[in-house]
Amino acid sequence: MSKKLSIVRFKPKPENFDEFVQLLKARHESDPALTDTKIMTTTDEVVGIVVRDTEVFSENVQSGTEYLNTIRHMLQEY
């Protein structure tokens, strides 16, 4: 079974940083397709690294985009 690696960088607004990290971690813990996940933070960024099966990649990207739209107000643009 082949795998795909995704690395996504987020820049939460400073006042939403901790809440954003907690929400992202909770999402990854609750989704079985995202079990091989690492969430890393710097002083102003959150980096999500996910390895997932190729078969579920497109589906996960779609659901991830839909989820991101619900928390987009917490993010700054790069």
Side-chain angles (χ1 to χ4, degrees):
M1 182 172 289
S2 63
K3 305 265 185 180
K4 286 198 175 194
L5 171 71
S6 297
I7 301 173
V8 181
R9 294 171 47 206
F10 304 96
K11 190 170 183 182
K13 294 175 183 174
E15 64 271 18
N16 297 119
F17 193 90
D18 293 333
E19 181 183 3
F20 181 83
V21 170
Q22 293 307 312
L23 288 171
L24 195 61
K25 284 182 179 181
R27 173 169 165 69
H28 284 246
E29 290 170 359
S30 69
D31 187 339
L34 302 175
T35 55
D36 198 4
T37 299
K38 300 293 181 221
I39 305 292
M40 301 184 323
T41 61
T42 67
T43 55
D44 64 348
E45 283 189 325
V46 178
V47 180
I49 303 168
V50 182
V51 178
R52 46 190 153 197
D53 294 329
T54 305
E55 298 86 50
V56 297
F57 181 80
S58 294
E59 179 183 315
N60 284 147
V61 169
Q62 178 65 32
S63 69
T65 301
E66 290 169 5
Y67 176 73
L68 186 58
N69 284 334
T70 68
I71 57 173
R72 188 171 304 277
H73 65 279
M74 301 173 89
L75 298 172
Q76 300 179 61
E77 289 190 38
Y78 277 96

